Amino acid sequence: MAVDIGKNISGFLSQKQSSASPELASEWAALDELHTKKLYHQLTLKLMTFVKHPSLQEGEQLIELYSKFIMYIENKINPLSLVEILAFVVQQYTDWKEAVTFLEKMEAKVKGCEDAVMLCKVLAGQILLEKLSDTVATKKIIDDVEKELDKKDGVGPVHGRFYLLASNYYRQQGKHAEYYRTALRYLGCVNLDDLSFKEQMQHAFFLGLAALLGEGVYNLGELLAHPVLQTMKNTPNKWLVDLLLAFNSGDIAKFDEMKPKWASVPDLAAQELKLRQKISLLCLMEMTFKRPSTDRQLTFEEIAAETRLPVNEVELLVMKALAQGLVKGAIDQVDGRVHMTWVQPRVLDKQQISTMVKRLDVWCKDVKNMEQLLETQAHDFLTL
């Protein structure tokens, strides 16, 4: 039986060599040679490159490659590498349900490798979401794989594909906060140079919208510091970067000034009230951040002036900030003041870092003054 299989493989590879173009014929010959010599590691590496060849992406050539060659040696191939190869094969199925079934059966064959099993699930999830629009089955896969990934330390070979699947799902479902977090994690797992400029721009635009619309997303500094946003500079979408900067600094005047731009996006225009509430909270956070820890008594009038809210709505704004854990402090309703003791840490931009540097300079001077005071008054303290 083994001899028959070997002959079938050799016959298939020889037939492909004779019918292929000179360039591709040498590739088929290399596969044949590596298989004959049983150099399975080198054969695996060759296959991982070979399945990406442009001339093999049409028709069912990769399915034929699997059924007449790879299938017979799959137990000799590293399980994760095998699934990486099959990621290209399943794209040539015309029956997408059959493709999902194929991947489910493959899970049993690679069960000895957790990463390979998870990658099978993620590839099936991509087909279920993009080709079959089965969001229920996709969500189950996302939940199952996420539980397994949470047990692992560091970033593995499955993380990037998983976060791409999860972010696409959440974007389709309109879950902005979940999309924002998973899309940022996806970009953290890939090299931007591996993405086309169009893909980078798409990620940047969707992330920008999600940062503005996402419930509970107040830390915009991580996105603003990400190089993916650079793709929108010198494009018609540059206004989105400017709007994110305005939100990050709580600049309500800039927000109002840019209304003709952001109101042209239906999703933003429909959520104007929520956007105004969000930037008001960010404005309050920025006011607290800019104040030194010894001077964080904010009057209702000061907050109203910065946030452009009526004075009678300031207390409700502060209560929302306290409830969401954005700041800590106490409200003095009698004097119309708020005493802030803490503001939620955020990734800082250059302007905010400059403010922090100035505060550290003041702190250093205070410490120096205290040191000098102790030097000059030490005798008085010691003789008490």
Side-chain angles (χ1 to χ4, degrees):
M1 181 66 72
V3 174
D4 291 340
I5 291 174
K7 285 183 178 179
N8 289 339
I9 292 175
S10 296
F12 168 70
L13 295 175
S14 298
Q15 184 264 322
K16 284 296 182 180
Q17 288 178 55
S18 61
S19 62
S21 64
E23 178 197 356
L24 203 56
S26 63
E27 297 289 318
W28 286 108
L31 292 176
D32 194 7
E33 181 183 358
L34 291 171
H35 173 256
T36 302
K37 293 180 178 180
K38 298 183 178 180
L39 299 174
Y40 293 112
H41 174 67
Q42 292 87 336
L43 179 58
T44 299
L45 297 178
K46 187 67 178 177
L47 281 169
M48 290 182 73
T49 305
F50 185 63
V51 293
K52 300 175 185 176
H53 199 286
S55 64
L56 297 176
Q57 305 310 310
E58 296 179 0
E60 297 184 355
Q61 296 182 78
L62 293 179
I63 296 177
E64 184 185 25
L65 175 65
Y66 172 77
S67 62
K68 294 185 178 180
F69 179 36
I70 298 175
M71 183 175 71
Y72 298 108
I73 61 167
E74 58 189 15
N75 62 329
K76 309 289 187 183
I77 299 176
N78 173 278
L80 182 59
S81 299
L82 174 62
V83 181
E84 291 278 8
I85 292 168
L86 298 182
F88 293 88
V89 175
V90 294
Q91 294 304 313
Q92 294 192 344
Y93 275 83
T94 52
D95 185 337
W96 295 113
K97 290 184 179 179
E98 186 181 344
V100 172
T101 302
F102 171 74
L103 289 167
E104 289 172 347
K105 289 179 179 178
M106 187 55 59
E107 286 182 38
K109 294 182 179 181
V110 297
K111 62 183 178 182
C113 175
E114 288 183 358
D115 285 342
V117 172
M118 287 190 290
L119 185 53
C120 281
K121 290 181 181 294
V122 170
L123 292 174
Q126 289 173 343
I127 295 172
L128 288 166
L129 180 65
E130 297 168 13
K131 306 297 184 182
L132 298 174
S133 300
D134 189 341
T135 55
V136 175
T138 304
K139 185 61 167 68
K140 185 179 185 307
I141 287 175
I142 290 172
D143 292 340
D144 291 344
V145 175
E146 189 169 27
K147 287 177 185 176
E148 295 302 317
L149 289 178
D150 286 344
K151 298 175 185 176
K152 292 183 172 290
D153 295 326
V155 177
V158 183
H159 283 78
R161 275 198 175 100
F162 168 74
Y163 288 130
L164 180 60
L165 169 65
S167 62
N168 286 337
Y169 169 80
Y170 289 128
R171 180 168 59 83
Q172 285 191 20
Q173 296 296 302
K175 296 183 177 181
H176 305 294
E178 290 87 348
Y179 168 78
Y180 178 76
R181 295 184 181 96
T182 51
L184 267 182
R185 288 175 180 174
Y186 166 67
L187 292 179
C189 295
V190 299
N191 187 338
L192 276 184
D193 293 335
D194 294 337
L195 302 178
S196 67
F197 185 75
K198 182 180 179 181
E199 287 175 321
Q200 291 182 42
M201 278 191 63
Q202 188 178 57
H203 282 298
F205 186 75
F206 287 144
L207 269 168
L209 294 183
L212 297 172
L213 295 169
E215 193 74 31
V217 178
Y218 294 97
N219 189 354
L220 308 183
E222 187 176 359
L223 175 58
L224 288 169
H226 201 289
V228 75
L229 280 192
Q230 300 300 317
T231 59
M232 288 200 292
K233 290 191 173 181
N234 303 317
T235 72
N237 290 330
K238 182 183 179 297
W239 63 267
L240 183 54
V241 180
D242 296 333
L243 186 60
L244 288 167
L245 288 168
F247 265 73
N248 194 52
S249 60
D251 190 343
I252 295 177
K254 185 72 173 176
F255 171 71
D256 289 335
E257 179 187 323
M258 294 186 65
K259 185 172 181 179
K261 287 284 187 182
W262 58 258
S264 64
V265 179
D267 286 351
L268 295 180
Q271 299 294 332
E272 180 176 354
L273 180 59
K274 285 188 176 181
L275 290 174
R276 194 166 292 279
Q277 290 174 345
K278 186 170 194 171
I279 197 170
S280 297
L281 288 167
L282 285 163
C283 179
L284 179 63
M285 291 175 71
E286 190 68 12
M287 288 179 71
T288 306
F289 172 76
K290 286 180 178 178
R291 295 287 187 98
S293 58
T294 55
D295 182 27
R296 285 187 171 168
Q297 292 276 359
L298 305 175
T299 66
F300 283 11
E301 288 75 14
E302 287 173 334
I303 297 172
E306 287 287 330
T307 59
R308 298 190 174 186
L309 289 173
V311 175
N312 61 356
E313 292 183 16
V314 168
E315 186 177 354
L316 180 59
L317 176 71
V318 176
M319 289 172 66
K320 284 182 180 177
L322 292 169
Q324 294 189 43
L326 303 178
V327 294
K328 291 180 182 178
I331 302 173
D332 186 337
Q333 294 174 312
V334 177
D335 290 342
R337 292 176 179 274
V338 181
H339 176 60
M340 297 297 191
T341 57
W342 177 87
V343 61
Q344 186 186 86
R346 294 184 293 162
V347 176
L348 306 180
D349 61 24
K350 291 180 180 179
Q351 183 61 42
Q352 291 166 328
I353 291 173
S354 175
T355 301
M356 183 68 77
V357 169
K358 290 176 182 176
R359 192 173 306 163
L360 286 171
D361 287 340
V362 172
W363 181 77
C364 288
K365 288 177 183 176
D366 289 344
V367 171
K368 187 68 176 177
N369 291 336
M370 180 60 70
E371 181 185 358
Q372 292 173 349
L373 178 64
L374 287 173
E375 286 177 357
T376 56
Q377 303 293 330
H379 181 269
D380 294 339
F381 287 123
L382 292 172
T383 55
L384 284 176

